[in-house]
Amino acid sequence: MKPDLFESPDYYNLDDLLTEEQKLVRTAARDWVKRDVSPIIEEAAQKAEFPKQIIKGLADIGAFGPYIPEEYGGAGLDQISYGLIMQEIERGDSGVRSTASVQSSLVMYPIFKFGNEEQRQKYLPKLASGEYMGCFGLTEPDHGSNPGGMVTNFKDKGDHYLLNGAKMWISNSPFADIAVVWAKSEEGRIYGLIVERGMEGFSTPETHNKWSLRASATGELIFDNVKVPKENLLPNKSGLGAPLMCLDSARFGIAWGVIGAAMDCYDTALRYAKERHQFGKPIGSFQLQQKKLAEMITEITKAQLLAWRLGTLRNEGKATSAQISMAKRNNVDMALKIARDARQILGGMGISGEYSIMRHMMNLESVVTYEGTHDIHLLITGMDITGLNAFK
Ligand code: TGC
Ligand code: FAD
């Protein structure tokens, strides 16, 4: 892979809207990605291996629990800092950002928000340092967009719960130490349970043959009469709203993260368009290529504004789930379109692993589907503005 020459675009001087702390956090993440992710990520993706050596670096830049209070090992940062960290990591690779999203918003957040003090003390510091890695089991083979239909269930056996069922498409599952698993009680109410690797009847087979997110490990979670200690149930919230609250936080991170992938594609294409000559001129001098580049920077700038405003609303505790859906949907779509156009600007070189664009493009095909598909987020906006449910 070519050396990482990334220069971050800031067409509307958005840095003026950031605090010094937010800029410092971003610089630390940006420098780490350049130093520790860019040199190894292409090979990891080609080999379809999660590069475990980056776990410590992710912890060091505060990517595990950026907004979890420091007393539990988190970085105690605000939502815009969280977003900026996700942006910088996804500039390197969406799969690496996935690992951080899952650890922070889908594992640490539910333990922090719905767990008791003992659970917080037991798990959060180890998750923040990367000593423990976690995964989040919501999706099932027959219940993806409709998680409320899940069949994974647990029965009260007096001194423990007995868990049965299966989850699929689970990021980090093949190496996770713990899984936050959503399952129905005998009354049909959804609860979160912390399942630990090594519990009898619990297995995590890896999913192979992915063309997307190849540097992220994906797998199943299988529960065959797993005895889960009662103290592993998250007691402070039940119902589908609990996992959906975790998704709000992760979707917010994605709305920021994909801006990083888009910036990397744009920056690569811009540089290439100025250097590559055809018909005796740089290809960047042709109107058709300028149109692509001009539209890219326009869309990136709009997405940055949307993410920044959403971050401000989240900091004030005012962002709605529907607002988060709009930003996730818009920004992933924006990044995917930019990746496709950027790939074309590079001609044949666009499909080569010498450049990051094709990897981003393939990764974004997962990002547009997970955490709620493009269509599901549109229906959430539709329901929000009309008051009418078009899901069922
Ligand atoms: P519905 O009847 O609308 O709602 C059920 C209950 O949940 C409440 N609620 C929310 N609460 C908090 N935050 C939200 N965003 C919420 N949305 C809804 C709602 O008020 C209700 O509460 P209550 O008290 O009345 O019961 O639910 P539904 O069954 O009709 O489904 C709604 C729908 C389709 C929007 C939702 O289920 C959905 O978002 N589906 C998409 C599924 C999804 O996003 N799965 C993601 C799996 S995890 C993942 O992909 C990780 S990838 C990680 C990585 O690698 O980065
Ligand atoms: P389906 O729900 O079967 O949808 C298929 C199509 O039908 C989509 O286009 C969808 O938009 C459309 N559709 C569905 N319902 C409606 C409707 N009511 N109206 C109109 N159209 C509809 N899940 C986890 O729990 N944890 C993870 O860590 C995780 N990581 C993932 C990692 C990867 C790489 C991938 C690919 C997925 C991951 N997922 C994870 C699962 C992901 O969240 C689901 O794939 C996603 O929610 C969609 O579910 P599905 O694949 O079952 O598609």
Side-chain angles (χ1 to χ4, degrees):
M1 198 176 157
K2 300 251 184 228
D4 183 352
L5 303 173
F6 177 70
E7 284 173 42
S8 176
D10 183 14
Y11 201 73
Y12 258 44
N13 302 339
L14 288 166
D15 270 16
D16 293 352
L17 298 173
L18 303 180
T19 64
E20 283 311 308
E21 183 183 56
Q22 289 163 349
K23 284 190 256 189
L24 280 173
V25 164
R26 183 186 59 186
T27 301
R30 186 172 290 170
D31 292 350
W32 175 75
V33 167
K34 230 176 210 191
R35 195 185 62 236
D36 287 1
V37 178
S38 298
I40 55 110
I41 196 64
E42 181 63 28
E43 193 182 341
Q46 293 281 359
K47 288 185 174 165
E49 283 173 4
F50 170 67
K52 279 193 178 163
Q53 69 270 29
I54 64 172
I55 287 176
K56 185 174 179 312
L58 281 167
D60 288 347
I61 61 164
F64 293 159
Y67 54 87
I68 299 290
E70 287 170 285
E71 60 181 302
Y72 299 113
L77 297 167
D78 76 311
Q79 291 290 312
I80 291 178
S81 299
Y82 161 44
L84 288 165
I85 293 174
M86 296 298 122
Q87 174 187 293
E88 295 307 316
I89 297 176
E90 192 146 0
R91 208 277 298 170
D93 190 80
S94 304
V96 179
R97 197 269 307 135
S98 272
T99 295
S101 290
V102 169
Q103 183 88 342
S104 298
S105 291
L106 301 183
V107 179
M108 295 178 73
Y109 175 82
I111 293 174
F112 172 65
K113 203 80 186 166
F114 315 135
N116 57 33
E117 192 53 29
E118 254 178 41
Q119 292 167 336
R120 288 188 197 124
Q121 297 288 352
K122 179 172 176 191
Y123 295 107
L124 292 179
K126 288 187 171 148
L127 289 161
S129 70
E131 184 182 340
Y132 279 1
M133 293 300 292
C135 67
F136 175 89
L138 182 65
T139 305
E140 299 189 349
D142 293 328
H143 301 95
S145 297
N146 175 27
M150 70 175 67
V151 293
T152 298
N153 66 88
F154 62 96
K155 293 191 166 53
D156 190 335
K157 293 289 177 187
D159 63 341
H160 64 271
Y161 296 120
L162 200 63
L163 178 66
N164 278 290
K167 302 285 177 180
M168 79 178 292
W169 292 119
I170 307 304
S171 302
N172 298 357
S173 100
F175 60 82
D177 303 287
I178 64 167
V180 170
V181 177
W182 301 93
K184 281 183 179 163
S185 68
E186 286 156 280
E187 294 74 37
R189 188 91 186 144
I190 294 171
Y191 285 87
L193 297 155
I194 302 169
V195 180
E196 300 187 14
R197 183 171 297 282
M199 286 181 176
E200 211 180 320
F202 174 41
S203 57
T204 60
E206 184 156 1
T207 302
H208 295 289
N209 296 331
K210 290 182 302 169
W211 283 108
S212 175
L213 285 192
R214 289 171 61 82
S216 158
T218 313
E220 297 168 56
L221 301 175
I222 297 173
F223 315 105
D224 179 11
N225 285 319
V226 181
K227 286 183 183 174
V228 180
K230 284 201 153 169
E231 64 262 25
N232 283 27
L233 181 129
L234 299 176
N236 293 336
K237 187 164 172 70
S238 62
L240 189 58
L244 288 175
M245 277 172 71
C246 306
L247 293 181
D248 275 358
S249 177
R251 290 166 178 172
F252 169 77
I254 291 173
W256 279 86
V258 291
I259 296 172
M263 283 176 169
D264 199 48
C265 292
Y266 164 77
D267 179 62
T268 304
L270 179 62
R271 190 170 305 107
Y272 192 87
K274 290 196 273 191
E275 287 170 1
R276 172 75 175 168
H277 284 68
Q278 288 294 291
F279 300 95
K281 289 177 176 176
I283 58 169
S285 67
F286 299 123
Q287 288 183 5
L288 284 174
Q289 306 317 318
Q290 287 194 6
K291 176 175 187 288
K292 292 191 189 87
L293 291 163
E295 286 177 351
M296 284 181 202
I297 192 62
T298 308
E299 291 307 315
I300 287 171
T301 305
K302 284 153 67 179
Q304 284 178 304
L305 288 164
L306 198 59
W308 180 84
R309 177 64 187 147
L310 189 63
T312 307
L313 289 171
R314 291 249 321 155
N315 277 340
E316 294 167 355
K318 290 191 201 153
T320 66
S321 297
Q323 287 170 334
I324 296 168
S325 281
M326 181 186 280
K328 191 271 183 183
R329 180 176 185 273
N330 181 79
N331 289 8
V332 179
D333 189 52
M334 170 282 298
L336 199 42
K337 285 182 177 147
I338 285 179
R340 288 173 183 153
D341 276 352
R343 201 214 63 69
Q344 291 202 53
I345 291 178
L346 267 70
M349 287 312 288
I351 69 144
S352 164
E354 288 289 299
Y355 294 90
S356 55
I357 296 176
M358 189 78 178
R359 179 166 44 79
H360 283 307
M361 190 174 108
M362 301 297 270
N363 283 342
L364 290 163
E365 291 290 347
S366 285
V367 182
V368 77
T369 288
Y370 69 32
E371 301 269 7
T373 67
H374 189 66
D375 289 339
I376 289 294
H377 288 296
L378 177 118
L379 294 177
I380 290 172
T381 306
M383 186 164 74
D384 195 45
I385 56 176
T386 64
L388 303 169
N389 183 336
F391 291 107
K392 35 197 175 188

